[in-house]
Amino acid sequence: MLGALRLSRRYGEGPLHLLLILASFALTGYAGVRLLAGGQWPLVLVWFAGAALLHDLVLLPLYALADRVVVRWTARSGPHRARTAYVRVPAALSGLLLLVWFPLIAGSAGSGSAARYEATTRLPGGVFLAHWLLVTAGLCALSALWLLGRTVQRRLRGAPRRRSETKQRSVSGV
């Protein structure tokens, strides 16, 4: 018990956090060794550099702009910060799936890699776009249902008044 307290003071977090961090480093190291063992490490380095440049120069400005549009659009109505998360999460997950599986979704994977994926998944190459669209629609529907449930729950509980209403009351002397 004393050792855990000392570790918590020194490390800043509990022992479970440290264990999870070490496990994630071990998993990352294993994946790195497996990835680089094929003798194609120059291609992996080019892919990482390209992915970093694509993210920083193209994707980051695009999704920052999309986020600003969503924030402005939802700012007109009540608690916009809470509502933007219901758009951000499915959009981010869908974008991540698109980024990872883009060659298969776009149908532009080379014949060798497409054949390998088809052999592994036992799905024809033309279904990936439809599946991605279905997953995206499912994520959006799940998020909308979650928002609806939270809204109904708040109204049934009798949500506390917004601060602006309270201020208006005290100013008007009611």
Side-chain angles (χ1 to χ4, degrees):
M1 186 69 168
L2 250 181
L5 287 175
R6 264 186 276 162
L7 174 71
S8 181
R9 240 182 286 137
R10 264 196 192 154
Y11 175 63
E13 293 291 333
L16 180 61
H17 185 270
L18 179 62
L19 181 68
L20 289 174
I21 291 293
L22 292 174
S24 70
F25 282 144
L27 181 64
T28 303
Y30 171 75
V33 167
R34 294 282 306 213
L35 187 64
L36 298 175
Q40 296 184 349
W41 63 269
L43 292 175
V44 172
L45 290 178
V46 167
W47 186 86
F48 273 121
L53 288 173
L54 176 70
H55 176 267
D56 291 349
L57 299 177
V58 177
L59 297 177
L60 180 66
L62 283 177
Y63 64 72
L65 177 68
D67 187 60
R68 294 239 182 214
V69 168
V70 168
V71 167
R72 268 205 191 143
W73 181 60
T74 58
R76 294 183 186 122
S77 61
H80 71 280
R81 281 189 163 239
R83 291 189 182 150
T84 56
Y86 293 97
V87 176
R88 284 177 180 160
V89 171
L93 291 174
S94 177
L96 180 64
L97 288 173
L98 178 63
L99 187 63
V100 169
W101 299 105
F102 183 75
L104 293 171
I105 291 170
S108 63
S111 61
S113 60
R116 186 177 70 228
Y117 282 114
E118 287 179 20
T120 303
T121 62
R122 297 181 188 190
L123 295 172
V127 301
F128 292 102
L129 174 62
H131 286 185
W132 174 73
L133 290 172
L134 284 172
V135 167
T136 300
L139 287 170
C140 291
L142 185 63
S143 183
L145 285 173
W146 194 280
L147 175 61
L148 180 66
R150 295 287 302 237
T151 304
V152 167
Q153 181 185 26
R154 238 181 250 127
R155 290 204 178 150
L156 287 176
R157 272 192 299 169
R161 291 188 206 122
R162 287 184 284 170
R163 188 174 178 171
S164 60
E165 292 175 6
T166 309
K167 281 185 178 180
Q168 288 171 356
R169 273 189 171 178
S170 63
V171 169
S172 65
V174 176

